[in-house]
């Protein structure tokens, strides 16, 4: 089908804006660190911000002091008593963890009528409250330029561990050293670690996951993607593990919740912890990702999903255990398809090639920039090496991806690391990590089923066996007897023996092995432990090779990012760093869009859209009580006059990615007006390339949240607990 002249013109304009930093954008590109906001204060005010832009740069003041991380999702305090709001899909793992086939909170929802009824969140759940941030770049990088690659990597890693250890002398805090601009800048972030996290309220999946995987990444959307946790601490206010003696945490700041909400065109911003983006990736990295890695993943993911669904029938306890994994896999598969389609639509490879040509021209125009040219060449060559290693190891990594084998490998690695002084252990195996390590072993009971794990492993091994001989790993082939022609039925019987003979499926045994020595584990008769021991040397060889490449990357990526920053500064543009799970702010307007020719997205969806979609069959199976309230037009005080109904979800032109889920969506006065939870299918490629014409973010409206709490689930006590403003 030929594109219309108008569509072709729009696409040409999009390509131009991506390559020219001075071109005006239809959407506000940028996931800015709070300390960058004073630099763009004028544009923030022009866009509609009413509070001081400088106030947004204070991480411990209002409103940033109310924004927290869940370690994978974002959230915010909404009451003086430690009440935290986030997305339903962020809290769903805790709902699933507390569910069984007989008592299924996923299906029925959960609401604690009183604080004593709140449930422990899934093991490992955390709420991180930022209390301080400082620049540690000089300490991290000093003297590393002349080191050999592995020595450079080891030195930077050790300095990172030393800085974190010093910071964590203050008990109850979890610190991290975050890298920005490819290692050109490092910041120490100190966070209070709330370890007692409790589930307060989560609507049923028929509200919180309405539309399911069918509607995921799509517009129009009608999903009540919200849930509540509460943070608890010891009576003296210090961080503590779960105890009935603990009390709700009292944050210094919390957000007011707006019942008035937003109108089309209003200013809006989101504050949260976006996971990762690749806006500054090289052409080589882009070509490998979209030419091989993502298409390969999509094929594997579809078979993986089918395998779980076939082995764990709907309604079974096994399905309950694997609901969170299935949701993640379906989300990732659809995301990757969107990324591939988006890259094709905007011509990502050609655009990245053109950007690198423009950058090279700018570098070549001045002899003083020769260092930039050298770093760029080295980075391209190193990117090609990394791509080749990714392809080489891809199927081996999945062939060793059984949960039981992974558990055995982690336990054996722990035994090896425990022979070193704590400060010299690798990250993930230090004493500071042992609570997470232990909780991960405990959580396996509610996320593991032997028949499903075996079916997954068999799928991965079959894929591995289909690869050319050059991609096979002798250590794995010897250990599993995979040499020569492998009979599928014989392999399945061999795996049956592994699961029949292991005792790693027992929590107490897993926990006891945390204290085992390498010799004890090497003498184990458990087949998974024997396999872990057999693969250990090869795994460490891969790790050493990866660290050598990473060490070389640490020498050239920072210089490449300095080139990008200087180039954009010469055009009057502030270069924001790629997302890295640290606090960011993105801002813009409530805005619909025209993602493609002949298609228009309105900015709001309504309650009536729920009834239009509803079939009574999952995932379009809204609760009867909700449908009745909609039929009666029982809107309460939550309707938006402009649409004649209660707004359910709304669109904005904010710049977001994974990890932003649960981010507080704020109006011009920093009042909570929604929660960011998704992007449109046309937007997902923005992880790599910001397209101002199609980038749209999806939010759940606070008016819908309050309406569900009021009219459907009877969460009146929580409404009274929050500061509701007009």
């Amino acid at each position: 089908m030929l594109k219309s002249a108008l569509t072709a013109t729009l696409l040409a304009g999009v390509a131009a804006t991506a390559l020219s930093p001075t071109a005006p954008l239809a959407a506000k590109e940028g996931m800015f660190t709070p300390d960058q906001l004073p630099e763009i204060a004028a544009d923030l005010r022009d866009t509609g911000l009413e509070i001081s832009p400088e106030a947004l740069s204070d991480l411990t003041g209002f409103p940033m002091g109310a924004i927290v991380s869940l370690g994978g999702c974002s959230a915010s305090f909404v009451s003086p008593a430690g009440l935290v709001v986030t997305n339903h899909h962020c809290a769903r793992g805790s709902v699933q963890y507390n569910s069984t086939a007989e008592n299924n909170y996923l299906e029925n929802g959960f609401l604690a009528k009183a604080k004593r009824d709140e449930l422990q969140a899934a093991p490992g759940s955390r709420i991180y409250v930022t209390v301080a941030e400082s620049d540690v770049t000089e300490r991290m990088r000093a003297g590393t330029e002349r080191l050999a690659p592995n020595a450079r990597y080891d030195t930077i890693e050790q300095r990172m561990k030393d800085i974190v250890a010093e910071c964590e002398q203050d008990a109850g805090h979890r610190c991290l050293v975050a890298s920005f601009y490819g290692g050109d800048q490092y910041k120490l972030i100190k966070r209070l670690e709330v370890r007692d996290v409790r589930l307060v309220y989560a609507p049923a999946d028929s509200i919180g996951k309405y539309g399911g995987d069918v509607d995921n990444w799509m517009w129009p959307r009608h999903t009540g993607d919200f849930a509540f946790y509460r943070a608890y601490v010891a009576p003296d206010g210090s961080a503590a593990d779960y105890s009935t003696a603990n009390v709700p945490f009292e944050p210094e700041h919390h957000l007011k919740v707006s019942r008035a909400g937003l109108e089309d065109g209003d200013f809006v911003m989101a504050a949260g912890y976006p996971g990762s983006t690749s806006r500054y990736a090289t052409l080589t990295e882009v070509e490998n990702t979209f030419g091989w890695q993502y298409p390969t993943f999509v094929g594997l993911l579809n078979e993986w999903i089918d395998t779980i669904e076939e082995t764990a029938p709907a309604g079974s306890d096994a399905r309950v255990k694997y609901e969170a994994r299935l949701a993640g896999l379906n989300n990732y598969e659809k995301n990757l398809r969107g990324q591939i389609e988006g890259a094709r639509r905007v011509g990502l490879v050609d655009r990245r090639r053109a950007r690198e040509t423009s950058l090279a021209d700018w570098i070549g125009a001045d002899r003083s920039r020769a260092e930039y040219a050298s770093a760029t060449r080295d980075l391209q060559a190193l990117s090609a090496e990394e791509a080749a290693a990714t392809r080489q190891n891809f199927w081996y990594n999945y062939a060793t991806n059984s949960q039981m084998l992974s558990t055995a490998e982690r336990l054996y690695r722990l035994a090896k690391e425990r022979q070193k002084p704590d400060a010299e252990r690798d990250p993930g195996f230090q004493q500071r990590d042992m609570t997470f390590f232990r909780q991960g072993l405990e959580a396996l009971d509610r996320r593991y089923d032997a028949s499903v794990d075996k079916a997954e492993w068999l799928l991965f091994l079959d894929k591995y066996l289909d690869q050319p001989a050059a991609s096979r790993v002798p250590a794995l082939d010897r250990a599993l007897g995979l040499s020569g022609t492998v009979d599928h039925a014989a392999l399945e019987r061999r795996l049956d023996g592994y699961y029949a003979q292991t005792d790693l499926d027992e929590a107490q045994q897993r926990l006891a092995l945390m204290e085992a020595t390498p010799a004890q584990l090497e003498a184990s008769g458990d087949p998974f432990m024997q396999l872990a021991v057999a693969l250990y040397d090869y795994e460490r060889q891969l790790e050493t090779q990866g660290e050598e490449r990473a060490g070389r990357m640490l020498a050239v990526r920072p210089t490449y990012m300095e080139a990008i920053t200087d180039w954009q500064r010469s055009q009057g543009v502030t270069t924001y760093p790629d997302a890295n799970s640290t606090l960011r702010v993105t801002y813009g307007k409530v805005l619909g869009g025209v993602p493609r020719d002949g298609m228009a997205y309105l900015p709001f969806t309504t309650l009536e859209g729920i009834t239009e979609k509803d079939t009574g069959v999952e995932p379009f199976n809204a609760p009867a009580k909700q449908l009745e309230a909609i039929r009666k037009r029982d809107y309460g005080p939550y309707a938006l006059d402009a649409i004649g109904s209660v707004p359910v979800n709304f669109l904005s032109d904010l710049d977001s990615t994974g990890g932003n889920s649960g981010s507080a969506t704020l109006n011009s006065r920093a009042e909570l007006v929604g929660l960011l939870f998704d992007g449109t299918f046309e937007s997902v490629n923005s992880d790599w390339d910001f397209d101002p014409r199609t980038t749209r973010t999806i939010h759940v409206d606070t008016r819908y949240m309050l309406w569900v709490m009021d009219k459907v689930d009877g969460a009146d006590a929580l409404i009274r607990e929050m500061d509701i403003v007009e």
Side-chain angles (χ1 to χ4, degrees):
M1 182 181 297
L2 295 175
K3 299 183 179 74
S4 69
L6 174 60
T7 304
T9 300
L10 286 171
L11 287 175
V14 170
T17 58
L19 297 174
S20 172
T22 58
L25 298 180
K28 301 286 187 181
E29 177 180 357
M31 302 178 193
F32 295 98
T33 57
D35 58 3
Q36 290 184 302
L37 298 179
E39 298 179 47
I40 56 173
D43 192 64
L44 280 163
R45 292 191 184 96
D46 289 345
T47 307
L49 180 67
E50 294 183 47
I51 67 170
S52 165
E54 288 71 23
L56 296 175
S57 64
D58 182 357
L59 298 186
T60 59
F62 179 83
M64 291 303 157
I67 309 302
V68 298
S69 169
L70 303 181
C73 280
S74 304
S76 50
F77 286 117
V78 287
S79 91
L83 189 65
V84 170
V85 67
T86 187
N87 284 156
H88 184 274
H89 74 260
C90 295
R92 195 169 182 268
S94 292
V95 181
Q96 176 259 316
Y97 183 80
N98 283 286
S99 295
T100 63
E102 297 75 28
N103 188 19
N104 194 336
Y105 293 127
L106 294 171
E107 182 177 328
N108 303 319
F110 173 78
L111 173 63
K113 294 297 185 181
K115 291 185 178 68
R116 64 178 176 275
D117 301 321
E118 294 169 359
L119 299 175
Q120 278 185 263
S125 297
R126 296 289 188 273
I127 295 172
Y128 295 106
V129 185
T130 298
V131 298
E133 180 181 285
S134 57
D135 191 289
V136 292
T137 304
E138 177 60 27
R139 182 174 174 185
M140 286 292 297
R141 296 189 63 189
T144 60
E145 297 85 355
R146 295 179 179 83
L147 295 177
N150 281 99
R152 182 183 301 113
Y153 179 91
D154 291 343
T155 298
I156 288 178
E157 180 181 80
Q158 189 60 54
R159 289 176 181 176
M160 189 175 289
K161 290 189 293 185
D162 292 345
I163 293 170
V164 165
E166 292 168 13
C167 179
E168 291 180 353
Q169 302 251 333
D170 190 355
H173 291 81
R174 186 83 175 178
C175 303
L176 67 90
V177 174
S179 168
F180 298 81
Y181 302 105
D184 196 42
Q185 181 186 52
Y186 292 89
K187 293 179 183 179
L188 170 64
I189 302 170
K190 182 178 182 180
R191 306 169 300 174
L192 177 69
E193 181 185 33
V194 176
R195 302 195 300 273
D196 186 351
V197 181
R198 304 186 194 178
L199 181 65
V200 178
Y201 166 51
D205 274 1
S206 52
I207 291 176
K209 199 186 173 189
Y210 189 78
D213 297 320
V214 178
D215 271 5
N216 193 22
W217 301 106
M218 306 303 286
W219 188 261
R221 196 73 172 272
H222 300 84
T223 307
D225 202 343
F226 69 96
F228 291 86
Y229 279 135
R230 194 182 303 278
Y232 280 80
V233 292
D236 63 1
S238 62
D241 293 326
Y242 174 84
S243 168
T244 55
N246 287 348
V247 298
F249 174 67
E250 297 179 1
E252 291 188 28
H253 303 284
H254 68 275
L255 301 176
K256 295 179 179 179
V257 179
S258 173
R259 191 166 63 193
L262 298 165
E263 300 268 359
D264 186 10
D266 281 354
F267 173 90
V268 67
M269 62 181 172
Y273 292 80
S276 65
T277 54
S278 302
R279 300 270 173 85
Y280 306 109
T282 65
L283 174 62
T284 301
E285 292 167 317
V286 169
E287 288 177 324
N288 181 65
T289 299
F290 288 91
W292 183 84
Q293 189 170 343
Y294 280 0
T296 303
F297 260 133
V298 168
L300 175 62
L301 286 167
N302 280 291
E303 293 188 60
W304 192 351
I305 291 165
D306 290 344
T307 297
I308 295 175
E309 290 180 342
E310 291 168 7
T311 316
S316 67
D317 191 55
R319 175 60 69 89
V320 173
K321 289 179 177 180
Y322 280 78
E323 277 290 353
R325 174 173 285 199
L326 269 177
L329 293 175
N330 276 296
N331 181 65
Y332 191 38
E333 189 275 340
K334 197 166 188 177
N335 177 284
L336 292 187
R337 282 193 287 112
Q339 299 241 28
I340 293 167
E341 168 60 21
R344 182 204 60 78
R345 186 184 66 247
V346 303
L348 175 59
V349 172
D350 289 339
R351 288 168 61 146
R352 193 54 52 94
R353 182 180 292 110
R355 187 180 78 177
E356 293 193 356
T357 299
S358 297
L359 176 62
D361 289 344
W362 176 82
I363 292 172
D366 189 331
R367 291 182 180 178
S368 67
R369 301 168 187 157
E371 183 183 10
Y372 292 161
S374 176
T376 301
R377 286 192 301 271
D378 290 346
L379 180 58
Q380 292 288 9
L382 185 52
S383 297
E385 281 186 47
E386 190 67 43
T390 298
R391 295 190 185 206
Q392 175 67 28
N393 301 324
F394 182 87
W395 292 111
Y396 168 79
N397 290 335
Y398 275 95
T400 53
N401 196 27
S402 149
Q403 287 197 75
M404 285 292 97
L405 176 55
S406 297
T407 299
E409 288 184 316
R410 293 183 67 228
L411 286 167
Y412 187 57
R413 178 70 179 273
L414 175 63
K416 289 282 195 177
E417 293 291 332
R418 288 178 68 238
Q419 295 179 308
K420 308 175 187 175
D422 188 61
E424 296 177 16
R425 296 182 193 174
D426 284 343
F429 297 93
Q430 294 182 282
Q431 195 58 42
R432 68 187 293 269
D433 304 308
M434 287 303 97
T435 298
F436 280 110
F437 198 104
R438 184 175 299 104
Q439 289 175 334
L441 295 178
E442 292 170 340
L444 193 61
D445 279 351
R446 291 302 307 149
R447 292 171 180 167
Y448 167 80
D449 178 89
S451 61
V452 181
D453 195 59
K454 189 194 83 169
E456 290 177 311
W457 194 21
L458 192 60
L459 169 68
F460 301 147
L461 284 170
D462 283 342
K463 293 292 184 182
Y464 167 78
L465 291 170
D466 287 340
Q467 303 312 304
S471 297
R472 300 278 288 274
V473 176
L476 178 62
D477 289 357
R478 284 193 301 271
L480 280 179
L482 300 179
S483 57
T485 302
V486 179
D487 177 77
H488 180 88
L491 177 60
E492 187 168 3
R493 288 194 297 272
R494 194 172 306 145
L495 299 193
D496 285 339
Y498 272 73
Y499 288 95
Q501 297 171 40
T502 188
D503 54 10
L504 291 176
D505 55 357
E506 299 174 8
Q508 290 305 312
Q509 175 67 3
R510 294 193 298 270
L511 294 173
L513 291 179
M514 287 181 65
E515 303 300 322
T517 66
Q520 288 171 325
L521 295 181
E522 287 158 8
S524 169
D526 189 294
F528 283 107
M529 189 59 69
Q530 291 174 343
L531 182 55
V533 172
L535 296 176
Y536 181 81
D537 288 342
Y538 180 72
E539 295 273 357
R540 300 292 73 73
Q541 176 187 328
L542 289 181
E543 188 174 88
T544 300
Q545 292 169 354
E547 290 174 356
E548 193 274 341
R549 291 191 299 273
R552 284 190 282 151
M553 193 72 79
L554 287 166
V556 297
R557 181 83 77 177
T559 305
Y560 176 75
M561 284 308 304
E562 288 173 11
I564 291 279
T565 301
D566 287 350
W567 175 47
Q568 292 192 331
R569 185 183 297 116
S570 73
Q571 306 292 329
V573 170
T574 299
T575 302
Y576 58 90
D578 264 322
N580 62 350
S581 298
T582 60
L583 184 59
R584 303 297 179 91
V585 174
T586 173
Y587 66 101
K589 300 274 191 178
V590 176
L591 186 68
V594 182
R596 62 188 70 180
D597 184 44
M599 178 183 286
Y601 287 168
L602 299 179
F604 291 97
T605 57
T606 68
L607 291 180
E608 284 66 29
I610 296 173
T611 58
E612 289 173 6
K613 286 182 176 179
D614 205 80
T615 63
V617 178
E618 187 182 356
F620 299 104
N621 57 332
K625 186 175 182 180
Q626 181 183 35
L627 294 174
E628 182 63 19
I630 296 172
R631 290 190 192 97
K632 290 181 177 179
R633 300 174 66 85
D634 185 6
Y635 299 153
Y638 311 111
L640 171 60
D641 291 342
I643 62 174
S645 183
V646 176
V648 176
N649 297 152
F650 66 88
L651 288 175
S652 75
D653 60 359
L654 301 191
D655 190 357
S656 64
T657 188
N660 267 127
S661 291
S663 291
T665 304
L666 308 174
N667 64 14
S668 59
R669 297 178 297 280
E671 297 163 345
L672 188 74
V673 290
L675 298 176
L676 191 160
F677 74 93
D678 209 352
T680 60
F681 192 68
E682 298 82 10
S683 301
V684 294
N685 189 243
S686 64
D687 281 2
W688 294 80
D689 183 83
F690 187 87
D691 182 350
R693 183 176 64 91
T694 61
T695 296
R696 294 295 182 271
T697 291
I698 306 175
H699 313 252
V700 58
D701 198 299
T702 48
R703 289 165 289 195
Y704 180 59
M705 294 163 55
L706 293 168
W707 182 85
V708 169
M709 296 170 74
D710 181 1
K711 302 295 183 179
V712 182
D713 285 340
D716 304 329
L718 292 182
I719 294 176
R720 290 192 298 271
E721 180 177 339
M722 296 184 288
D723 292 334
I724 311 297
V725 296
E726 295 293 341

